[in-house]
Amino acid sequence: MATTSITVIGLGSGDPDQLTLGAFRRLQQAERLYVRTAEHPMMAMLRDNNIQFESFDSIYEQLESFPDVYAAIADTLIREASAGVPIVYAVPGHPMVAERTVQLLRENCPQAGIELQILGGESFLDQAFVSLGFDPIEGFALLDATDLQPSMVQPQLHTVIGQVYDAFTASDVKLALMERYPDDFEVVVGHALGVSGQQQIIRVPLYELDRTPGFGNLSLIWIPRSDDASLRNRSFERLHEIVSILRSPGGCPWDREQTHQSIRKNFIEELYEALEAIDNDDPDGMQEEFGDVILQVMLHSQMEEEMGAFSVYDVIQSLNEKLIFRHPHVFGDENADDAEEALGNWEQMKAEEKRMKGTDTSRKSVLDGIPSDLPALMKAYKLQKKAAKVGFDWDELGPVLAKIEEELAELREAIADKSQEEQAAELGDLLFAVVNASRFIHADPEEALSRTNKKFYSRFSYIEEQLRISGKQFDQTDLTEMDRWWEEAKRQS
């Protein structure tokens, strides 16, 4: 009975002198030899020794994605081996380094009843260590250019990026690296490392990476490790470390003394400052103020981490899981053609989430769950939305406007002959009715009033400017003149 087997041999980085004698003999003795690609320096040695082989280069031309190519190669090898002819499969470098086809064979050969043997060869990493001159014990990461994400890059580690097949892939790498490094940071491009007469080592600024010629099957990119503080400061881990140090015994006395309650007001202040930067359409201000808001989250999370309750990483995990769960139209099988459907999915999954966690059992009212410290205008809006969900609402705008007129009449009556407390109560009723109208015209009352506040500020500033031009103070004018300037400001806005 013929042996059903596949032997994988690593061809090394491209220098024939680096091929082991055992690997060379297996190549000579192969009844049927496949190579993943003929675009490799070792093919000349095979031809010189009359070693016949078949390559899978045609599959690269037929299929559009690398995963499909690798799957097709593995399927072909398993099918051919199942026919009873022992197969030898030769791959560039080392079979277990950046060789997806070998991983697929490891996964699928056992269930196909095929014996798989792997013979190592020198990988491109061996030559990278020698030719580029760095020791991986200092900290080292090997990343795939075809699936590179900025979050994978750690500047404190030597980083080698393999499978940089062409300038398009190099461009993707450049964009990912620019999230962590300055545009002019020096990176190293290596072509055919260890191959006599072909090796090239080129140092270029990052922004020129994809303009560098020569990318191909034997190309890699090396980013030397760096302890530059500006690079570390672009990482979330560094932020966590800094906040931890500030709260430590050797840190800042003020930060160590703070509690959730002592900096509670800071959280609110920072949020409002961030909102102001947003309203002013101030990118520089937003960048700074968003950082201050994040700092508040970090400080409160650090306090809980010190107590052993949770860390900021638990906060992030919970948030990620919530976002995925509540967006089934993005991460699941649901559909949402517009924002309204997306919001419906969100509310449905939010309710399901509460049911699964059992968090609704403690609530005695459908109005529960609104933060007690929300600004009154915003809280009124949310209370009414919750009541409307269970049917406590008018069907159209007419009765809502009538209610405003009714509450205004009651306020007039209270002002005429009732106490200040009763007047304030009627004013509250009027404001609550106005908030109800905002829901019907789909206008957030907080945002609407904020716009009016800005409008008032702008028009009143115009009055102040006219006074300055006229050389007057407020005690030197009257309401009639100021009202005239107010109307001028209205016409100009």
Side-chain angles (χ1 to χ4, degrees):
M1 181 177 177
T3 303
T4 305
S5 67
I6 298 175
T7 301
V8 183
I9 295 176
L11 293 173
S13 58
D15 188 341
D17 292 338
Q18 295 161 0
L19 191 67
T20 67
L21 181 59
F24 180 64
R25 286 174 175 169
R26 295 296 290 269
L27 291 170
Q28 284 183 311
Q29 297 166 1
E31 293 183 48
R32 190 157 192 183
L33 172 62
Y34 286 95
V35 297
R36 178 166 63 77
T37 177
E39 300 296 326
H40 189 268
M42 289 296 291
M43 297 305 105
M45 185 274 289
L46 296 181
R47 294 187 182 98
D48 290 345
N49 287 272
N50 296 316
I51 299 175
Q52 303 298 312
F53 62 86
E54 299 176 51
S55 83
F56 288 111
D57 288 331
S58 61
I59 293 181
Y60 284 88
E61 298 171 2
Q62 295 168 12
L63 302 177
E64 295 183 357
S65 72
F66 285 119
D68 290 341
V69 168
Y70 300 148
I73 291 173
D75 290 344
T76 300
L77 291 169
I78 290 173
R79 185 174 63 251
E80 293 297 320
S82 298
V85 178
I87 299 295
V88 176
Y89 175 48
V91 298
H94 191 289
M96 295 301 294
V97 178
E99 189 55 62
R100 178 59 183 158
T101 57
V102 176
Q103 295 301 325
L104 291 172
L105 291 174
R106 284 171 55 84
E107 294 170 10
N108 298 322
C109 280
Q111 62 191 26
I114 296 174
E115 178 186 344
L116 180 66
Q117 183 180 11
I118 297 175
L119 301 181
E122 185 177 79
S123 78
F124 68 93
L125 289 177
D126 296 280
Q127 282 303 315
F129 301 147
V130 173
S131 300
L132 301 175
F134 71 92
D135 187 343
I137 197 66
E138 297 173 352
F140 164 68
L142 172 63
L143 302 176
D144 182 352
T146 64
D147 189 31
L148 183 65
Q149 304 298 323
S151 59
M152 300 175 179
V153 180
Q154 302 181 58
Q156 68 271 28
L157 303 179
H158 289 288
T159 302
V160 172
I161 302 173
Q163 310 206 90
V164 193
Y165 298 121
D166 50 36
F168 296 105
T169 309
S171 179
D172 290 339
V173 171
K174 179 182 77 172
L175 294 176
L177 293 178
M178 280 182 170
E179 294 293 324
R180 302 301 300 269
Y181 296 91
D183 294 356
D184 59 353
F185 191 85
E186 185 178 81
V187 298
V188 180
V189 179
H191 299 306
L193 297 184
V195 181
S196 178
Q198 298 184 39
Q199 174 173 298
Q200 287 183 293
I201 298 176
I202 307 167
R203 297 177 180 272
V204 296
L206 180 55
Y207 68 86
E208 290 187 357
L209 182 60
D210 54 348
R211 306 173 195 169
T212 305
F215 284 107
N217 293 336
L218 301 181
S219 298
L220 58 78
I221 295 168
W222 171 46
I223 304 97
R225 69 180 301 275
S226 174
D227 291 320
D228 187 334
S230 65
L231 297 179
R232 292 195 66 206
N233 288 344
R234 288 187 67 82
S235 70
F236 180 81
E237 290 72 19
R238 178 58 173 160
L239 174 60
H240 181 243
E241 178 185 9
I242 289 171
V243 174
S244 176
I245 291 172
L246 291 175
R247 291 275 303 173
S248 70
C252 172
W254 185 89
D255 286 289
R256 288 201 309 270
E257 289 181 2
Q258 301 314 305
T259 64
H260 288 307
Q261 289 303 315
S262 71
I263 61 171
R264 178 179 179 278
K265 65 180 184 302
N266 299 44
F267 211 152
I268 298 171
E269 291 171 1
E270 298 297 357
L271 284 169
Y272 278 113
E273 289 177 9
L275 289 173
E276 182 179 14
I278 291 172
D279 291 341
N280 292 336
D281 193 21
D282 177 9
D284 291 336
M286 282 187 264
Q287 178 179 327
E288 180 178 354
E289 300 303 339
F290 292 169
D292 291 343
V293 172
I294 292 173
L295 174 59
Q296 297 303 307
V297 174
M298 297 298 296
L299 285 169
H300 285 283
S301 298
Q302 182 63 31
M303 293 174 193
E304 291 302 310
E305 183 174 341
E306 292 160 7
M307 297 297 293
F310 63 83
S311 74
V312 70
Y313 292 100
D314 296 310
V315 173
I316 293 170
Q317 179 183 352
S318 298
L319 175 59
N320 287 338
E321 291 173 351
K322 178 192 294 184
L323 289 173
I324 292 170
F325 185 80
R326 294 188 184 179
H327 288 86
H329 49 284
V330 178
F331 302 103
D333 299 327
E334 300 292 330
N335 293 315
D337 295 328
D338 53 38
E340 185 176 351
E341 286 190 35
L343 182 59
N345 283 340
W346 172 277
E347 294 294 345
Q348 179 182 347
M349 299 310 292
K350 183 178 179 181
E352 175 65 13
E353 188 178 72
K354 291 176 180 178
R355 186 194 64 77
M356 291 168 60
K357 292 180 178 180
T359 52
D360 275 343
T361 57
S362 61
R363 293 185 178 177
K364 299 178 181 179
S365 169
V366 295
L367 301 180
D368 288 345
I370 300 174
S372 58
D373 291 319
L374 273 182
L377 202 63
M378 190 180 300
K379 188 169 184 178
Y381 185 71
K382 288 186 173 292
L383 285 168
Q384 292 176 14
K385 283 183 67 176
K386 280 182 172 282
K389 286 182 180 179
V390 294
F392 190 74
D393 201 8
W394 279 292
D395 295 326
E396 55 186 23
L397 181 60
V400 179
L401 298 177
K403 185 65 176 176
I404 292 175
E405 294 172 358
E406 176 188 328
E407 296 296 352
L408 178 59
E410 291 179 6
L411 175 60
R412 292 180 189 277
E413 181 181 338
I415 291 173
D417 58 10
K418 293 185 179 179
S419 67
Q420 285 189 332
E421 183 177 346
E422 291 174 300
Q423 292 170 12
E426 294 298 342
L427 176 63
D429 291 346
L430 174 60
L431 292 173
F432 196 82
V434 171
V435 169
N436 208 8
S438 75
R439 289 192 309 109
F440 276 81
I441 64 173
H442 306 292
D444 186 292
E446 192 77 23
E447 294 177 2
L449 185 57
S450 177
R451 287 195 293 270
T452 298
N453 289 341
K454 291 179 66 176
K455 184 165 55 179
F456 180 88
Y457 185 97
S458 174
R459 293 175 182 175
F460 194 81
S461 296
Y462 182 82
I463 294 174
E464 292 178 309
E465 177 67 12
Q466 296 307 310
L467 283 171
R468 186 190 65 78
I469 293 172
S470 303
K472 296 180 179 180
Q473 302 294 327
F474 278 105
D475 58 0
Q476 297 173 309
T477 186
D478 55 27
L479 182 58
T480 300
E481 186 175 38
M482 286 191 289
D483 189 58
R484 176 169 56 81
W485 285 327
W486 178 271
E487 293 300 325
E488 288 180 8
K490 282 177 62 176
R491 289 194 293 270
Q492 293 179 15
S493 61

